Amino acid sequence: MVKARSIPGKIGLFLLIILIVTFSIFPFLQIISTSLKYQWDWGNPSLIPTQVNPDAYKELLNIGQDEKNVPQSVLDLLDDSDLTKQQKNEILDKYKDSSDVFPFLKYFRNSLSLSTLAAIFSLLLAIMGAYSFSRLRYRGRAVIQRGVLFVYMIGGILLLIPLYRIAVALGFLATPAGTFTALLIIYLVQTLPVSLYMLGNFFRTIPYSIEEAALIEGVSRFGIIWRIVIPLSWSAIVTVFIYCFMIAWNEFLFASVFLRGYEQLYTLPIGLRSLFVSKNAIWDRIMAGSMLTALPVIVLFMAIQKNLTGGLSEGGVKG
Amino acid sequence: MKKTRSLEQKEAMLGWWLVLPATIIILSLILYPIITNIISSFFKVSLMDRDTFVGLENYRNIVSDPEFWRSVMITLVYVVGTTLGTTLVGLGVAIVMNKTFPLRGLVRSLILLPYVAPVFSVVYAWKFIFDPVNGIFMDVMVERLGLFEQRFNLIGNPETALWVAIVFSIWKNFPFTYLMILARLQAIDKSMYEAADVDGAGRWQQFRFITMPELYFVLGSIVLLRVIWNFNKFEDIFLLTDNLKVLSIYTYFKAFVGVVDLGQGSALVILQFALLIGFILFYVKKVLKW
């Protein structure tokens, strides 16, 4: 449709684009705006804060929190008196109310380690499995391949109850380490179908003649995977890694049931929700938390955007 | 001859070994749980004690509970609303993004953001927008436009929360639909439109008789995927409002909140799965014509 557009048509198109972009990014602007506002400014519909307030970010990232709750008079007194440093710290400790601090960094570390480990294991298993799908011939291959696609259609809620019972029966949920392992395995199995499917599709695009040449030279299959297939599919592997990471990073349902009673293991989705339901007047911290949890993911995705568009239309990611 | 055959066998063995770990994990963590779930739906389940067989009682309890039928209705409205909305918005956006305009690359990246960002973080922005005290929605509706007498909690009330949840889901998922449709739009042969121009077909006729038939199958698959995903949807709704009892949330509450009843939960899950499979079979036959 290479046609010269009329002036009203151009204006209409322009307005439509503005509308679409506003619809898409308004909630993000709202997050940034509210995370930087003082409480008295929240009701103000303007997105630009009357006065910028970075306290929420400081609190979540634990910057300069040591003396926040200490009254000024006590601080003045401590400055003047001749107490030893140890005595001063003891007094300061009394004012530190650790129950009020939202352990954002701890939750961030929990989420980061769970998601990274799940994505790495998923990739390792998927590289082997996908290579087997795409290159080797054996009976039952088609069944396994179709089974993987079928599994992809099964939602988490359908597996939650039986997996919970199995985890309880095997004693996984009795210890923190066991709970962590149980969640890790569940995230692994949730990401495995996607990574098998996407990597399988990619491996098929690698010309077989390269591998044939290596086979004739006497390189083993493992040598081929390690020295030819992996280096050639580096971009696909990174993309799949990020998909898997995302799936685990976003997971809420299993974590909310399995992590009951293990506050020290909370992941970010659970942590943010517990912050939201446990306290009043926390919009600034919730929004700062949203910002800090969304940002890494958005940056990762923008970095692989070119592969992303391809990957999505290949059958891509559940959403 | 014997040598090549043994090579083939070796290859097949290797194939099995390579795919074995993934297969074992999938079988033991997906297939096995589904089977145990079917079994336990016929039992009164207790985590401490032995289960007792109760036959169809779990199912009977569910079917006779009006709450269950209410959640089936809510789920239907949610799935139909989100699927229609996401597909239509995605189609519209794809048509606009298929035109040339300045900064198109930037615009295309920006509108992917809702899909890319984690649900558990962006959901609070939506909660804030519809917050009765601070939110901009009530400010515009009450203060600027005067459409309502006073501010009220749109998300707190299950009736209105349903619509907020639908809009939220459309916002979250339209980029995926748009990307799939755009990919197909770009593959349509331009000469068909030129031929239609020569024949004097208008814009609408071109859309109706060229674009739509070309998009039929991609739209069909997108709708199917969206129905499957949104039928099982949990996080997007639960994090926005736990007032809205769609089937997955109803099951979650039955199984894990208050009086824990895993047996009835299992039966619910089976019913939910059966409903979904029934729909898929019908859809694949009637719409996709496989």
Side-chain angles (χ1 to χ4, degrees), chain A residues 24-305:
Chain A
S24 306
I25 66 170
F26 183 77
F28 294 98
L29 300 178
Q30 186 75 66
I31 290 177
I32 300 172
S33 150
T34 311
S35 70
L36 291 171
K37 277 180 177 177
Y38 281 100
Q39 185 169 356
W40 46 262
D41 206 12
W42 290 347
N44 172 11
S46 161
L47 284 177
I48 299 155
T50 318
Q51 209 178 334
V52 172
N53 169 25
D55 285 353
Y57 287 98
K58 278 190 187 160
E59 185 181 328
L60 292 189
L61 297 173
N62 205 10
I63 300 167
Q65 293 301 298
D66 289 349
E67 297 180 350
K68 203 187 85 180
N69 290 322
V70 187
Q72 195 56 45
S73 56
V74 177
L75 281 180
D76 291 342
L77 218 79
L78 283 175
D79 275 344
D80 293 339
S81 64
D82 315 318
L83 296 166
T84 63
K85 199 156 174 60
Q86 199 193 353
Q87 283 168 317
K88 278 185 190 172
N89 281 339
E90 272 171 22
I91 295 173
L92 280 175
D93 277 342
K94 292 216 170 84
Y95 287 96
K96 273 188 208 160
D97 182 8
S98 60
S99 69
D100 197 46
V101 178
F102 176 58
F104 181 80
L105 289 174
K106 190 165 76 187
Y107 298 162
F108 199 93
R109 273 197 300 273
N110 290 342
S111 268
L112 194 66
S113 45
L114 250 180
S115 314
T116 311
L117 285 174
I120 289 174
F121 286 129
S122 174
L123 259 183
L124 285 178
L125 293 178
I127 287 174
M128 299 197 299
Y131 184 80
S132 159
F133 280 170
S134 54
R135 283 292 189 261
L136 300 165
R137 240 166 282 185
Y138 48 90
R139 290 182 69 178
R141 184 176 73 163
V143 178
I144 297 178
Q145 242 176 318
R146 254 179 250 140
V148 166
L149 268 186
F150 172 72
V151 158
Y152 191 42
M153 299 293 147
I154 297 174
I157 188 78
L158 301 175
L159 295 170
L160 177 66
I161 297 174
L163 284 177
Y164 176 71
R165 293 193 62 201
I166 293 170
V168 170
L170 296 178
F172 270 110
L173 300 189
T175 60
T179 310
F180 186 87
T181 316
L183 264 190
L184 181 61
I185 297 173
I186 286 171
Y187 291 175
L188 169 63
V189 78
Q190 288 201 328
T191 53
L192 205 47
V194 194
S195 31
L196 275 172
Y197 182 68
M198 288 178 65
L199 279 181
N201 280 348
F202 189 83
F203 287 169
R204 281 193 201 94
T205 64
I206 301 175
Y208 190 55
S209 51
I210 307 175
E211 286 171 53
E212 251 172 352
L215 276 175
I216 292 166
E217 300 278 322
V219 183
S220 71
R221 283 283 182 182
F222 278 104
I224 287 175
I225 296 179
W226 184 246
R227 280 191 257 151
I228 297 176
V229 175
I230 293 182
L232 279 181
S233 12
W234 201 238
S235 69
I237 289 176
V238 171
T239 309
V240 174
F241 178 87
I242 291 175
Y243 275 155
C244 297
F245 182 89
M246 278 277 300
I247 293 175
W249 182 263
N250 290 342
E251 211 285 328
F252 174 84
L253 182 58
F254 281 92
S256 81
V257 173
F258 280 53
L259 294 180
R260 280 183 194 175
Y262 292 112
E263 215 243 319
Q264 74 272 29
L265 288 180
Y266 274 12
T267 54
L268 282 170
I270 312 297
L272 267 187
R273 180 169 166 87
S274 75
L275 173 69
F276 186 80
V277 292
S278 67
K279 288 177 199 166
N280 286 320
I282 35 78
W283 282 116
D284 53 343
R285 275 159 289 169
I286 279 282
M287 291 297 169
S290 297
M291 189 64 202
L292 293 171
T293 48
L295 205 59
V297 175
I298 290 175
V299 170
L300 278 180
F301 256 94
M302 289 302 152
I304 55 151
Q305 206 198 329

Side-chain angles (χ1 to χ4, degrees), chain A residues 1 3 5 13 16-17 20-21 23-28 30-31 34 39 42-45 125-126 128-133 135-141 144 148 150-166 168 185-186 188-189 192-193 196 208 215 221-222 225 246 249-253 256-257 260 268-269 272-274 276 283 286-287 289-291 293-294 297-298 301-302 305 308-309 312-319, chain B residues 8 11-19 21-23 25-26 28-30 32-34 36-37 40 45-47 51 89 92-93 96-97 99-101 105 107-122 124-129 131 133-134 136 139 144 151 167 170-171 173-174 176 179-180 183 190 193 197 203 206 225-226 228-230 232-235 238-239 242 248-249 251-252 255-257 262 265-266 269 272-273 276-277:
Chain A
M1 277 190 274
K3 259 183 262 175
R5 274 193 292 270
L13 179 69
L16 213 55
I17 293 165
I20 295 169
V21 172
F23 178 63
S24 306
I25 66 170
F26 183 77
F28 294 98
Q30 186 75 66
I31 290 177
T34 311
Q39 185 169 356
W42 290 347
N44 172 11
L125 293 178
M128 299 197 299
Y131 184 80
S132 159
F133 280 170
R135 283 292 189 261
L136 300 165
R137 240 166 282 185
Y138 48 90
R139 290 182 69 178
R141 184 176 73 163
I144 297 178
V148 166
F150 172 72
V151 158
Y152 191 42
M153 299 293 147
I154 297 174
I157 188 78
L158 301 175
L159 295 170
L160 177 66
I161 297 174
L163 284 177
Y164 176 71
R165 293 193 62 201
I166 293 170
V168 170
I185 297 173
I186 286 171
L188 169 63
V189 78
L192 205 47
L196 275 172
Y208 190 55
L215 276 175
R221 283 283 182 182
F222 278 104
I225 296 179
M246 278 277 300
W249 182 263
N250 290 342
E251 211 285 328
F252 174 84
L253 182 58
S256 81
V257 173
R260 280 183 194 175
L268 282 170
L272 267 187
R273 180 169 166 87
S274 75
F276 186 80
W283 282 116
I286 279 282
M287 291 297 169
S290 297
M291 189 64 202
T293 48
V297 175
I298 290 175
F301 256 94
M302 289 302 152
Q305 206 198 329
L308 162 84
T309 348
L312 278 174
S313 33
E314 297 280 299
V317 140
K318 190 169 357 187
Chain B
E8 241 169 58
E11 293 271 276
M13 278 299 285
L14 182 70
W16 268 105
W17 278 113
L18 283 176
V19 86
T23 315
I25 286 187
I26 288 178
S28 57
L29 280 126
I30 293 184
Y32 173 72
I34 290 179
T36 58
N37 191 74
S40 62
V45 176
S46 139
L47 281 178
D51 302 350
V89 173
V93 173
V96 172
M97 291 303 139
K99 299 185 190 301
T100 42
F101 54 86
V107 169
R108 281 185 180 177
S109 312
L110 282 180
I111 63 177
L112 285 184
L113 283 178
Y115 188 66
V116 164
V119 190
F120 72 87
S121 38
V122 290
Y124 296 105
W126 282 75
K127 272 168 152 341
F128 185 83
I129 289 171
D131 184 77
V133 181
N134 303 306
I136 189 168
D139 186 78
R144 320 277 140 175
R151 292 164 176 245
V167 174
I170 294 174
W171 175 81
N173 293 310
F174 87 86
F176 176 81
L179 274 179
M180 305 279 279
K190 300 273 181 300
Y193 292 107
D197 264 342
R203 279 285 182 81
Q206 291 185 7
L225 283 175
R226 183 57 44 221
I228 294 172
W229 288 337
N230 282 5
N232 292 327
K233 196 58 95 191
F234 179 82
E235 278 105 315
F238 184 77
L239 288 174
D242 41 23
S248 50
I249 293 180
T251 309
Y252 182 85
F256 293 104
V257 180
L262 291 178
S266 304
V269 165
Q272 191 177 338
F273 199 51
L276 184 59
I277 296 283

